[in-house]
Amino acid sequence: MSDRIFGGFVLALSVLMMWGTTLIQESFIQDPLGPKVFPLVIAGVMAVTALYMLVKPDPEPKWPGLYKLIELVVTVGVLAAYAQFLPIIGFVFASSLASAYLSWRLGATVVQSLVSGLLISVGLYGVFHWLLGLSLAKGPWGF
């Protein structure tokens, strides 16, 4: 029963996301795909997985314990903070912190997570800024 409730929630969220995507203002000069394609693809994938959960729910779903639920809430909080601080402290620094935290929660040691966070953020910056030519949040240090 809980799978069907969650599936219904995700389906409603995906429909709201599709509706919200239709409200995106498109500029006169833009790339061929436009700003609406990526959110629509994500909402479509969400809708398909939600429908699967509604049609074929798990008969005995195993929900995480209280500690794991708290850990999930904290992780969502870190990602929300990442989105808020991205334009303030810049892409590389914000991505380093978020990636380091996520790496640590996935089992890396503190040193490994700090190194991987830095490498992930610099690697993503290289791909998105230098290779694809996209503009990223610069922050106070210019990167």
Side-chain angles (χ1 to χ4, degrees):
M1 182 65 174
S2 61
D3 275 4
R4 285 202 169 116
I5 293 170
F6 185 68
F9 173 75
V10 172
L11 183 61
L13 187 63
S14 69
V15 169
L16 282 173
M17 192 169 164
M18 288 178 194
W19 173 74
T21 301
T22 64
L23 301 177
I24 295 174
Q25 297 289 328
E26 294 187 24
S27 67
F28 178 69
I29 301 172
Q30 65 185 17
D31 61 55
L33 291 177
K36 296 181 181 183
V37 174
F38 185 71
L40 282 175
V41 169
I42 297 297
V45 170
M46 285 172 58
V48 168
T49 56
L51 288 172
Y52 181 81
M53 290 177 75
L54 288 170
V55 172
K56 192 173 181 186
D58 189 358
E60 301 261 344
K62 183 180 177 190
W63 288 89
L66 181 62
Y67 176 75
K68 286 293 180 186
L69 287 175
I70 292 171
E71 190 174 22
L72 287 171
V73 168
V74 170
T75 300
V76 169
V78 167
L79 293 175
Y82 170 72
Q84 292 299 313
F85 285 105
L86 185 64
I88 298 168
I89 63 176
F91 179 82
V92 173
F93 192 61
S95 297
S96 293
L97 294 174
S99 299
Y101 174 78
L102 293 173
S103 297
W104 176 63
R105 293 315 314 141
L106 288 171
T109 65
V110 173
V111 173
Q112 290 172 332
S113 64
L114 291 173
V115 170
S116 67
L118 183 63
L119 292 175
I120 288 169
S121 66
V122 170
L124 287 174
Y125 184 82
V127 168
F128 288 123
H129 185 70
W130 294 318
L131 189 64
L132 297 175
L134 299 176
S135 178
L136 299 171
K138 294 204 184 286
W141 300 285
F143 54 86

